[in-house]
Amino acid sequence: MKQLTIYEYPKCGTCRSAVKTLKGLGRELDQRHIVEAPPTVAQLKELLAISGVELKKFFNTSGDVYRSMGLKDKLASMSEEEQLELLASNGMLIKRPIVTDGEKVTIGYKEELYKEAWGE
């Protein structure tokens, strides 16, 4: 079974639940602090390509930073490169947790989705 990389914020209850579920599924984790070491633009591009979802799904739209920056109204006029650079510059803008094995990606946490995606 491949090791999973999880970009998480340790103080986040949702992230803690995700880690608990993944460990309960017997998965080995490479835990990365999303605020202290957010994914780079290159890593985000790779995650985006693997995930098959639109870039706006990577934004933590319910977060204080997102709201205080007024990104709801600004994202549409930004290029993909600008959006990726913004995400890479502040881990609090990224929807968490992000989990990947290099072949698939999940964004956010739903226990049933995790069991289906990562419970090999």
Side-chain angles (χ1 to χ4, degrees):
M1 217 181 314
K2 275 182 145 176
Q3 182 183 51
L4 300 178
T5 299
I6 180 168
Y7 294 93
E8 55 150 348
Y9 184 57
K11 293 179 182 170
C12 167
T14 302
C15 291
R16 287 195 303 266
S17 295
V19 167
K20 184 178 176 185
T21 297
L22 292 170
K23 286 184 175 177
L25 293 169
R27 299 308 295 246
E28 195 175 310
L29 304 176
D30 173 12
Q31 293 174 256
R32 301 194 184 172
H33 194 300
I34 205 163
V35 177
E36 292 176 0
T40 63
V41 170
Q43 289 169 321
L44 287 165
K45 281 183 179 176
E46 185 179 328
L47 292 167
L48 180 63
I50 296 168
S51 74
V53 302
E54 55 190 325
L55 182 54
K56 75 177 187 183
K57 298 273 189 207
F58 278 79
F59 280 87
N60 178 9
T61 56
S62 60
D64 292 338
V65 177
Y66 181 90
R67 286 199 298 265
S68 70
M69 291 177 76
L71 293 176
K72 179 181 177 193
D73 303 319
K74 294 178 185 172
L75 282 184
S77 63
M78 294 172 73
S79 70
E80 181 174 292
E81 192 66 30
E82 289 171 322
Q83 290 181 42
L84 287 165
E85 286 175 13
L86 188 60
L87 286 170
S89 73
N90 188 334
M92 292 306 274
L93 286 172
I94 302 172
K95 184 166 177 73
R96 58 188 184 260
I98 296 177
V99 180
T100 186
D101 63 0
E103 294 172 17
K104 64 184 168 202
V105 173
T106 56
I107 305 165
Y109 173 69
K110 288 192 173 74
E111 187 174 354
E112 290 309 310
L113 175 70
Y114 269 46
K115 288 180 176 174
E116 189 179 306
W118 308 117
E120 303 169 350

